[in-house]
Amino acid sequence: MKISILIPCYNEEESLPELYKKLEEVMSSLGHDYEYVFVDDGSTDRTIGVLRALRDGSSRVGVISFRRNYGKSAALNAGFKAVDGDIVITMDADLQDDPAEVPNLLRKIEEGADLVSGWKVHRRDPISKTLPSKVFNAITSLATGIKLHDFNCGLKAYRRTVVESLTIYGELHRFIPALAGWSGFRVEEIGVRHFERKYGHSKYGAKRFLNGFFDLVTMMFVTRRELNPLHFFGRIAVVLFAVGMLPQVFFFVQWVAGHGIHVRPIMLLGFVFVIVSLQIGSIGLLAELLSARSAREMTFSFKEYSVRGEVQPDAGKRIVAPGASETA
């Protein structure tokens, strides 16, 4: 069994040597073949220089370097295509994830799980990050039906079949367990240790939580066919149409009974509800047509990143030469 360690990194020049040392201590004791794939997400510090030094010191190290910062999803997507292991371990490069947890993740995979997600039981982050994260995880678990405490933990283990089935873009890395679970893979969770950030600062601001909810809605529509846009918007339209028609039916009965009808505010409000319901229903129909077209194509070629260079582990062969680009 070969194990691939996939690490996206952005401006982590100080933490990378220490992370690599800790990983080597763990991986060399497992008795399995292994490799490292680092994805430099357009760092502006000396990260790429540190990675090149690691590559020069070990044939197990592979490096992918983006020309600019594209985000964690793009970094993971590129890394998933480059890894060669039967099991893929992902973790963040900031030393907050503990490499000593790798054997626990592997043990869970050996027990039959297809994807094992870490759960930062005692998270060492300020409340400005932990509280919104708890709310986000609770809503995501409820909406997706995947019962996890921590969807966005960077420490995860995947069987290769899971990695090959994933195409992530935008900010969908937050929902990888849900995407895998919806595809029929067995998703499990284990508690992992979490440390305070030792170097630098967090690369994610508060806006990521708001973006996360937008991404959740996008994912529900685009990747999960059980929730069709027409069904979603159609239900809202039906409710609004029914509410809007109630006063109209009442006044129609009054008119049939011979009572005079005068224009009243509730009558006008009912017409507004009917018009809005028709508009929402039309939006649902258009969204359904677009979604159906995407489902038929099912290509999702979202390689929205430009690669400066790529070096595979072991072979030492440069796949994408400097100056070349890989774009959609």
Side-chain angles (χ1 to χ4, degrees):
M1 180 174 68
K2 185 174 183 178
I3 302 170
S4 296
I5 307 294
L6 172 58
I7 305 175
C9 42
Y10 177 63
N11 291 344
E12 298 289 357
E13 59 175 321
E14 296 174 305
S15 63
L16 284 171
E18 185 174 342
L19 175 63
Y20 178 73
K21 181 180 178 181
K22 290 182 176 182
L23 277 168
E24 270 293 277
E25 292 174 356
V26 174
M27 298 306 298
S28 60
S29 67
L30 293 179
H32 296 296
D33 188 16
Y34 61 93
E35 66 174 2
Y36 302 101
V37 176
F38 293 89
V39 182
D40 173 35
D41 190 15
S43 298
T44 56
D45 63 356
R46 293 184 58 257
T47 292
I48 186 60
V50 174
L51 293 178
R52 285 171 178 164
L54 294 177
R55 177 68 188 92
D56 291 340
S58 173
S59 61
R60 295 183 184 275
V61 176
V63 178
I64 299 173
S65 177
F66 288 172
R67 296 185 186 280
R68 68 170 178 84
N69 179 245
Y70 289 96
K72 191 173 182 178
S73 288
L76 287 173
N77 202 39
F80 285 155
K81 290 176 171 58
V83 294
D84 191 40
D86 304 296
I87 305 297
V88 181
I89 307 289
T90 61
M91 66 173 58
D92 295 334
D94 55 12
L95 291 174
Q96 290 192 272
D97 293 332
D98 188 358
E101 296 287 354
V102 170
N104 299 327
L105 295 172
L106 293 176
R107 191 175 304 114
K108 206 70 175 175
I109 291 288
E110 291 171 355
E111 291 174 0
D114 296 309
L115 187 156
V116 183
S117 183
W119 169 24
K120 301 183 287 284
V121 181
H122 302 293
R123 186 172 177 177
R124 308 300 182 184
D125 283 321
I127 192 171
S128 59
K129 292 183 66 175
T130 58
L131 184 59
S133 182
K134 287 182 179 180
V135 174
F136 172 79
N137 283 313
I139 294 176
T140 302
S141 179
L142 181 65
T144 62
I146 306 298
K147 304 304 180 183
L148 296 183
H149 297 86
D150 193 352
F151 281 82
N152 200 29
C153 180
L155 191 57
K156 291 182 173 68
Y158 312 75
R159 293 187 187 273
R160 185 171 185 84
T161 50
V162 178
V163 167
E164 291 174 343
S165 72
L166 290 173
T167 301
I168 53 176
Y169 57 93
E171 297 294 328
L172 290 186
H173 64 273
R174 299 187 182 100
F175 309 105
I176 287 178
L179 295 172
W182 289 346
S183 297
F185 292 107
R186 178 178 166 185
V187 178
E188 296 194 11
E189 183 179 55
I190 62 170
V192 296
R193 283 174 290 183
H194 189 248
F195 302 116
E196 293 183 5
R197 173 175 274 274
K198 190 173 182 179
Y199 303 106
H201 59 277
S202 175
K203 311 303 188 299
Y204 302 99
K207 67 177 183 180
R208 71 172 182 147
F209 296 107
L210 181 60
N211 292 341
F213 291 113
F214 292 142
D215 292 329
L216 176 61
V217 174
T218 300
M219 182 188 64
M220 296 289 284
F221 282 141
V222 175
T223 65
R224 193 181 190 189
R225 294 300 299 166
E226 286 86 344
L227 182 58
N228 294 320
L230 186 58
H231 292 174
F232 178 78
F233 289 105
R235 291 165 185 165
I236 298 176
V238 168
V239 171
L240 292 177
F241 185 83
V243 172
M245 287 301 297
L246 284 177
Q248 317 310 326
V249 172
F250 172 78
F251 288 119
F252 177 76
V253 172
Q254 293 289 313
W255 178 73
V256 171
H259 300 287
I261 297 179
H262 303 284
V263 177
R264 300 181 184 180
I266 191 172
M267 182 185 296
L268 297 178
L269 183 62
F271 282 123
V272 170
F273 272 74
V274 170
I275 293 172
V276 171
S277 71
L278 295 176
Q279 292 176 329
I280 291 178
S282 299
I283 292 173
L285 180 59
L286 291 174
E288 178 66 22
L289 293 174
L290 293 174
S291 180
R293 179 179 178 181
S294 297
R296 285 196 302 269
E297 295 175 353
M298 288 300 290
T299 54
F300 291 103
S301 299
F302 286 99
K303 296 171 73 174
E304 299 173 348
Y305 43 83
S306 175
V307 177
R308 179 186 293 112
E310 176 179 336
V311 180
Q312 287 187 337
D314 301 321
K317 179 182 177 182
R318 182 171 295 277
I319 304 303
V320 181
S325 62
E326 181 176 345
T327 55

